[in-house]
């Protein structure tokens, strides 16, 4: 892009986004929760059980330590399948200490 090859840059970026299931090809749903290591593990086990039929990527925030952890679950839904009513209804049953963001500005 810095060399003026805007079209090639755009085509490359779009191809990578499609391959990685990133927007605009997918909708992100980001779940986040925090607590001690034990609390986070218990919450994650509950989330994993509830979302067993979904493809979820779990990861920790880089600044997490054993006394206070921040954990994320990222769901990618193909744009053509959104909204996935059964998933949305399931997410509505989650407790308020699990933050749910649809199309978040950031995923970390």
């Amino acid at each position: 892009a810095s060399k003026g090859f805007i079209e090639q840059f755009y085509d490359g970026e779009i191809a990578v986004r499609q391959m990685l299931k990133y927007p605009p090809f997918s909708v992100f749903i980001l779940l986040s929760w925090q607590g001690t290591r034990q609390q986070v593990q218990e919450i994650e086990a509950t989330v994993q059980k509830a979302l067993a039929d979904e493809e979820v990527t779990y990861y920790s925030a880089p600044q997490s330590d054993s006394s206070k952890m921040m954990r994320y679950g990222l769901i990618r839904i193909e744009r053509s399948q959104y909204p996935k009513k059964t998933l949305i209804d399931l997410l509505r049953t989650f407790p308020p200490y699990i933050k749910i963001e649809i199309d978040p500005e950031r995923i970390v």
Side-chain angles (χ1 to χ4, degrees):
S2 64
K3 294 182 180 181
F5 300 114
I6 303 298
E7 187 175 326
Q8 290 90 337
F9 172 78
Y10 175 82
D11 290 344
E13 183 70 16
I14 287 296
V16 168
R17 286 179 165 275
Q18 186 172 19
M19 181 182 69
L20 296 174
K21 298 180 184 176
Y22 269 49
F25 302 98
S26 296
V27 175
F28 282 168
I29 299 178
L30 181 66
L31 311 176
S32 55
W33 58 94
Q34 64 182 2
T36 64
R37 179 178 300 276
Q38 182 178 353
Q39 290 169 331
V40 165
Q41 288 172 342
E42 289 171 5
I43 294 167
E44 186 166 335
T46 303
V47 170
Q48 285 178 337
K49 185 177 179 182
L51 297 175
D53 294 337
E54 299 297 328
E55 185 177 328
V56 184
T57 303
Y58 296 95
Y59 54 97
S60 296
Q63 69 275 16
S64 291
D65 61 34
S66 60
S67 64
K68 186 173 183 182
M69 292 188 69
M70 176 66 118
R71 197 77 172 134
Y72 300 104
L74 181 64
I75 304 168
R76 294 175 175 102
I77 301 174
E78 288 185 34
R79 183 80 50 190
S80 62
Q81 295 178 352
Y82 185 80
K84 204 171 178 182
K85 184 170 175 17
T86 54
L87 174 61
I88 300 301
D89 289 343
L90 175 63
L91 293 174
R92 286 187 174 132
T93 68
F94 280 22
Y97 53 81
I98 299 175
K99 184 178 179 183
I100 301 168
E101 298 175 83
I102 297 175
D103 270 337
E105 289 187 25
R106 299 175 39 154
I107 59 172
V108 176

